[in-house]
Amino acid sequence: MIAKLLLQNTFVVVAMGVLLFATAGTLHWPAAWVYLATSAILGPACGLWLARTDPGLLAERMRLTARDEQPAADKKFMLVFVIVAFLWFVAMGLDRRMQASDVPVALQVLGLAMYLLSTGFIMWVFRENSFAAPVVKVQAEHHHHVVSTGPYALVRHPMYSAIMLFFVGAPLLLGSWWGVAIAPLFALLFAIRARIEERTLIAGLPGYADYAARVRYRLVPGIW
């Protein structure tokens, strides 16, 4: 499992690097090297931590293929998400090629901090929720139950909240206003995904409807 983790992380980092540098038309992009190095370190570090604390969840999250029990709407979401993420990286690379953005160094440092904060927040989610699979499904075989502690006491989908910090922080780090401009599209996608997930959980997970009634907000406390 550890070998698979390292292989997957290496593939993702290399793929991101190829997209960024190929579209930028140069390897002279210090911020991109910082982003890739950070990703290369955080991926295995978080995976090794999860292997020690919750190996079942790690194994589940490394299964990236569609599942029979996954709703058709979620399969379509995953396809759209991959396409948008691909275009996001291309846009940031083209932004660099055209020298279209001038992001202050202070904001780039803030972007790195947001990336790290996003990762820490996601680890908190994993610590609280052993059912945080990468696809929408009710895990009856694992005695799936409602989790309402930790970040789940604040919002119903804290994973998506944490990931949005990444989708704003990463383009800031890379110095791309184009990437920041695309971030609201990811927020819209996660809002749609949250509704797909909630329909599935209300229909198949006892107690989730009561939990949703108690915790009003989906992604941002006090807003939505």
Side-chain angles (χ1 to χ4, degrees):
M1 186 166 63
I2 298 302
K4 184 179 179 181
L5 166 69
L6 296 175
L7 182 61
Q8 284 187 357
N9 189 76
T10 300
F11 174 81
V12 170
V13 172
V14 170
M16 292 190 297
V18 169
L19 278 176
L20 290 172
F21 292 125
T23 51
T26 180
L27 293 175
H28 184 63
W29 189 358
W33 287 110
V34 171
Y35 168 75
L36 293 171
T38 302
S39 301
I41 294 170
L42 288 180
C46 295
L48 291 173
W49 174 82
L50 197 56
R52 291 195 302 270
T53 59
D54 196 339
L57 177 57
L58 176 61
E60 182 67 31
R61 293 202 62 82
M62 288 196 300
R63 291 179 58 206
L64 302 179
T65 56
R67 322 291 168 80
D68 291 338
E69 64 271 34
Q70 184 182 2
D74 193 51
K75 294 177 181 178
K76 294 176 183 177
F77 164 85
M78 294 300 296
L79 177 60
V80 172
F81 177 80
V82 169
I83 293 172
V84 172
F86 174 85
L87 295 176
W88 183 60
F89 280 106
V90 169
M92 290 189 289
L94 292 175
D95 188 354
R96 174 68 180 186
R97 177 188 289 265
M98 299 177 185
Q99 299 291 314
S101 296
D102 183 15
V103 178
V105 173
L107 287 182
Q108 289 184 278
V109 173
L110 175 62
L112 176 59
M114 293 176 69
Y115 184 3
L116 297 175
L117 181 61
S118 170
T119 302
F121 198 178
I122 290 171
M123 291 301 99
W124 186 22
V125 170
F126 288 162
R127 183 181 180 89
E128 294 292 331
N129 185 7
S130 289
F131 310 107
V135 301
V136 171
K137 65 173 185 173
V138 175
Q139 302 174 50
E141 71 280 8
H142 295 145
H143 307 290
H144 196 168
H145 60 267
V146 174
V147 176
S148 59
T149 56
Y152 289 90
L154 304 175
V155 292
R156 302 204 292 265
H157 303 278
M159 174 78 80
Y160 305 152
S161 305
I163 293 174
M164 279 311 304
L165 287 174
F166 166 80
F167 282 113
V168 176
L172 282 177
L173 168 59
L174 290 167
S176 173
W177 289 124
W178 291 11
V180 174
I182 295 173
L185 180 55
F186 287 104
L188 175 61
L189 288 175
F190 286 125
I192 294 171
R193 215 290 175 91
R195 292 186 180 278
I196 295 171
E197 186 171 342
E198 291 192 343
R199 285 199 302 268
T200 301
L201 294 178
I202 288 173
L205 185 62
Y208 190 84
D210 292 336
Y211 164 72
R214 292 196 312 273
V215 179
R216 293 177 53 195
Y217 299 105
R218 291 181 173 91
L219 298 180
V220 183
I223 298 178
W224 190 80

